[in-house]
């Protein structure tokens, strides 16, 4: 029992390369949702022959989905950092920097999720909109409320989205109306949520929704709480961790004041000075499955520490611009071999779409590149430090890079045999209804692309089919929105997109 997709397919290979296949044939198991095989180049007249090669024929057991001209398959987007309860605040508080924004805009909204009816109504709308933006895997921060975060996990699970869901740990430096009573209360609720989410599935291989430890950031956690979370993580190596790091300069100063060396485990003998990343490391919270959001203002020793611990960074350029935090040096991090994915960071970021994060990641890299004087000793060609991120790298960050950051790259992130079919059907046709995208029908009508054949007239560009498909990807990444995302699949199951009913 298989579902076959026939048409354009684009999938990342490495940080700087992807495969664009105009006439691919991909088979997905209806039972497991796993990609069974991919044939790279199948002209229409060889379709039956190719099916026969795999012991198949077009009958009731085989469904063939043929993509239209201007449509293509790609891996689903992976959002490695967003705040589900902040989605109602999108577009609010644009005048603030981080700490004031939390106090004036964010905490008042998050506190409302104590009301379970409010939480259920809000989260249903939040998850649906994020899925329809093409996000097949999402790392969600909930609120500090246990029951509301269970509601979020329920909704994500029912929707069929792949996700990490965490309850915020925050027992200090928060408003009186929005703070946990003690470190112990925070830990009890966290353990309860972990057990609850893990009850969704009897098998780790079968699960879509995972629990994740979520110390909001160092400022909001007492040393007692961070120490206990570190012990919990040490007891359970499979537990992922998500938190914030070096987003804002004032935040960094405050963090260092709260955690002088003598407050850290081991005291002054172990820690001669405090760094933000070093705080998490001291409490055992910096490891291979730790996702650190932002990392805008890293010290050199923090970069080396993150690399040594094999942790990774969620790059949230929209939020970093919007809250005036700065530009993360993503090219440098990538050249160091540090894992990087993209995050929307709603509502510091004003869009739930990874497409916006891609566009702003490109701009961020250009700002970094133009801010650094030319250096004759700069890295050779192929390196990304202080350079504009090319399209293949942006595509990688949104897909396979995010999968690597979530330690799921063996399962998702690219459309290759053996991985789950977490995928999008994208359209750059006029009938998608997005006026920002110049539809392929106009290309055909005006002959501005061309096929690259010998009979190509002077008005055409002479592009072959592969180059045309690559151009469609670039248009989508820089001009697309949810209207161009026709179908969203997770584990082979249709769960969203404009054609979802």
């Amino acid at each position: 029992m298989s579902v076959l997709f026939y048409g354009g397919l684009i999938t990342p290979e490495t940080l700087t390369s992807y495969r664009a296949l105009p006439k691919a044939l991909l088979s997905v198991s209806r039972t497991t949702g796993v990609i069974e095989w991919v044939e790279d180049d199948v002209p229409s007249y060889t379709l039956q022959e190719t099916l026969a090669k795999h012991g198949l024929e077009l009958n009731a057991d085989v469904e063939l989905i043929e993509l239209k001209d201007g449509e293509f398959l790609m891996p689903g987007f992976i959002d490695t950092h967003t705040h589900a309860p902040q989605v109602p605040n999108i577009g609010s508080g644009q005048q603030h920097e981080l700490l004031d924004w939390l106090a004036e805009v964010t905490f008042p909204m998050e506190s409302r999720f104590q009301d379970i009816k409010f939480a259920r109504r809000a989260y249903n709308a939040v998850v649906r909109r994020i899925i329809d933006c093409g996000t097949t895997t999402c790392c969600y921060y909930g609120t500090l409320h246990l029951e509301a975060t269970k509601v979020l996990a329920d909704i994500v699970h029912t929707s069929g989205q792949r996700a990490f869901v965490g309850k915020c740990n925050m027992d200090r430096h928060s408003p009186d109306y929005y703070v946990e009573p003690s470190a112990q209360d925070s830990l009890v609720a966290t353990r309860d949520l972990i057990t609850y989410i893990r009850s969704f599935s009897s098998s780790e291989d079968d699960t879509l929704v995972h629990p994740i430890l979520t110390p909001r950031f160092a400022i909001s956690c007492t040393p007692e709480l961070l120490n206990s979370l570190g012990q919990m993580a040490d007891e359970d190596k499979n537990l992922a961790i998500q938190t914030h790091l070096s987003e804002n300069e004032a935040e960094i100063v405050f963090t260092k004041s709260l955690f002088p060396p003598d407050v850290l485990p081991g005291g002054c003998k172990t820690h001669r000075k405090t760094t933000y990343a070093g705080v998490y490391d001291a409490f055992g919270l910096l490891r291979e499955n730790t996702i650190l959001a932002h990392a805008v203002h890293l010290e050199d020793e923090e970069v080396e520490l993150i690399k040594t611990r094999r942790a990774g960074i969620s790059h949230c350029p929209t939020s970093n611009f919007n809250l005036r935090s700065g530009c993360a040096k993503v090219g440098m991090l990538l050249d160091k071999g540090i894992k990087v994915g993209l995050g929307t960071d709603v509502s510091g970021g004003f869009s739930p779409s990874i497409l916006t994060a891609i566009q702003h990641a490109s701009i961020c890299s250009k700002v970094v590149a133009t801010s650094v004087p030319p250096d004759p000793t700069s890295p050779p060609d192929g390196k990304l430090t202080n350079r504009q991120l090319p399209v293949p790298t942006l595509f990688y960050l949104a897909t396979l890079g995010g999968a690597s950051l979530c330690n799921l790259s063996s399962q998702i992130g690219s459309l290759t045999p053996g991985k789950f079919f977490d995928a999008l059907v994208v359209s750059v046709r006029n009938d998608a209804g997005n006026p920002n995208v110049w539809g392929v029908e106009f290309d055909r009508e005006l002959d501005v692309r061309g096929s690259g054949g010998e009979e190509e007239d002077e008005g055409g560009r002479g592009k072959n089919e592969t180059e045309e498909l690559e151009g469609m990807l670039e248009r989508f990444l820089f001009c697309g929105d949810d209207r161009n995302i026709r179908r969203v699949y997770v584990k082979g199951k249709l769960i969203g997109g404009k054609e979802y009913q």
Side-chain angles (χ1 to χ4, degrees):
M1 300 284 285
S2 302
V3 179
L4 302 176
F5 292 84
Y6 179 53
L9 183 154
I10 307 175
T11 187
E13 287 188 303
T14 70
L15 187 58
T16 55
S17 67
Y18 62 81
R19 303 174 73 210
L21 309 172
K23 290 185 174 67
L25 183 63
L26 178 147
S27 177
V28 180
S29 166
R30 284 181 177 173
T31 305
T32 65
V34 170
I35 300 171
E36 297 171 310
W37 47 264
V38 179
E39 292 285 349
D40 292 358
D41 185 20
V42 183
S44 58
Y45 59 85
T46 67
L47 184 57
Q48 295 283 5
E49 177 184 339
T50 304
L51 290 174
K53 169 184 167 183
H54 290 279
L56 298 173
E57 58 180 292
L58 291 179
N59 55 35
D61 291 333
V62 176
E63 178 184 1
L64 178 66
I65 298 175
E66 189 167 358
L67 303 184
K68 300 175 183 177
D69 182 31
E71 293 183 339
F72 60 88
L73 279 177
M74 60 167 282
F77 290 134
I78 299 175
D79 187 344
T80 58
H81 181 76
T82 203
H83 295 263
Q86 292 179 23
V87 173
N89 275 344
I90 284 181
S92 303
Q94 310 295 300
Q95 71 272 26
H96 295 298
E97 288 191 13
L98 175 64
L99 298 181
D100 288 340
W101 172 79
L102 288 171
E104 299 296 328
V105 178
T106 300
F107 291 153
M109 174 56 73
E110 290 194 14
S111 69
R112 296 192 61 184
F113 284 77
Q114 183 175 0
D115 181 340
I116 298 302
K117 290 183 179 178
F118 176 87
R120 183 169 288 108
R121 291 177 64 190
Y123 282 147
N124 270 309
V126 166
V127 173
R128 172 47 47 201
R129 135 177 350 205
I130 290 174
I131 289 172
D132 288 341
C133 283
T135 298
T136 52
T137 298
C138 192
C139 296
Y140 288 109
Y141 283 58
T143 60
L144 59 75
H145 310 108
L146 171 61
E147 296 306 319
T149 309
K150 286 181 178 179
V151 168
L152 173 60
D154 282 336
I155 291 169
V156 172
H157 175 64
T158 302
S159 74
Q161 189 183 37
R162 197 181 299 274
F164 293 82
V165 178
K167 184 202 78 64
C168 282
N169 302 110
M170 42 192 296
D171 66 338
R172 69 166 174 180
H173 292 299
S174 301
D176 291 341
Y177 63 83
Y178 189 58
V179 65
E180 294 180 288
S182 69
Q184 184 61 26
D185 285 292
S186 184
L187 291 166
V188 170
T190 298
R191 289 189 186 278
D192 190 334
L193 181 68
I194 292 168
T195 300
Y196 184 77
I197 292 176
R198 285 180 170 168
S199 72
F200 291 165
S201 175
S202 59
S203 167
E204 182 67 21
D205 294 335
D206 190 47
T207 191
L208 289 176
V209 184
H210 304 266
I212 185 168
L213 292 182
T214 308
R216 187 178 196 114
F217 59 168
I219 289 172
S220 70
C221 299
T222 59
E224 178 187 359
L225 179 53
L226 288 179
N227 190 59
S228 296
L229 290 172
Q231 291 175 3
M232 188 183 298
D234 186 57
E235 294 165 3
D236 189 344
K237 305 297 185 186
N238 290 325
L239 263 179
I241 302 162
Q242 62 181 356
T243 190
H244 297 78
L245 175 69
S246 300
E247 179 178 359
N248 172 277
E249 291 179 329
E251 168 207 12
I252 296 169
V253 171
F254 192 16
T255 299
K256 289 184 175 182
S257 73
L258 293 173
F259 293 94
D262 61 322
V263 169
L264 301 176
C268 296
K269 292 181 180 179
T270 305
H271 307 279
R272 297 177 184 174
K273 76 168 195 174
T274 298
T275 65
Y276 201 157
V279 170
Y280 294 130
D281 188 53
F283 289 104
L285 294 167
L286 200 63
R287 61 186 196 183
E288 183 179 10
N289 52 0
T290 299
I291 299 171
L292 301 161
H294 302 290
V296 177
H297 305 284
L298 293 179
E299 300 175 37
D300 290 344
E301 61 194 271
E302 291 182 288
V303 174
E304 294 305 318
L305 178 60
I306 292 167
K307 178 180 179 180
T308 298
R309 296 291 185 260
R310 301 172 67 191
I313 305 299
S314 175
H315 179 37
C316 306
T318 306
S319 176
N320 294 342
F321 283 139
N322 196 40
L323 297 179
R324 304 195 301 279
S325 298
C327 292
K329 296 178 175 59
V330 171
M332 176 271 292
L333 295 171
L334 294 171
D335 282 346
K336 290 281 188 180
I338 293 173
K339 296 178 293 186
V340 180
L342 293 180
T344 57
D345 193 29
V346 171
S347 68
F350 48 74
S351 170
S353 174
I354 283 292
L355 284 169
T356 304
I358 290 169
Q359 294 151 20
H360 290 169
S362 176
I363 294 170
C364 177
S365 70
K366 294 172 183 176
V367 171
V368 171
T370 56
S371 300
V372 179
D375 182 355
T377 64
S378 63
D381 290 343
K383 297 295 183 179
L384 300 169
T385 300
N386 299 331
R387 297 195 176 190
Q388 173 183 339
L389 297 180
V391 169
T393 303
L394 296 167
F395 183 49
Y396 177 92
L397 294 178
T399 54
L400 192 52
S404 297
L405 181 55
C406 294
N407 286 322
L408 292 175
S409 59
S410 65
Q411 300 180 44
I412 59 172
S414 60
L415 300 181
T416 54
K419 292 190 178 185
F420 290 114
F421 187 70
D422 287 17
L424 310 179
V425 173
V426 173
S427 171
V428 289
R429 296 167 54 87
N430 290 322
D431 56 18
N434 180 0
N436 293 323
V437 174
W438 182 267
V440 294
E441 299 97 323
F442 282 151
D443 284 344
R444 307 294 182 250
E445 180 181 337
L446 299 176
D447 199 18
V448 297
R449 286 277 176 191
S451 64
E454 293 181 0
E455 299 179 359
E456 185 66 48
D457 66 27
E458 294 181 0
R461 298 183 183 179
K463 290 184 179 290
N464 60 37
E465 288 184 320
T466 299
E467 291 169 331
E468 285 191 331
L469 184 56
E470 291 173 340
M472 292 179 198
L473 173 65
E474 189 168 6
R475 291 189 207 190
F476 171 60
L477 296 183
F478 285 93
C479 302
D481 61 27
D482 63 299
R483 288 169 290 189
N484 300 102
I485 298 170
R486 309 311 296 173
R487 279 168 270 162
V488 180
Y489 293 89
V490 170
K491 206 175 179 183
K493 180 182 178 182
L494 179 65
I495 68 164
K498 287 301 178 185
E499 296 177 9
Y500 177 70
Q501 300 295 330

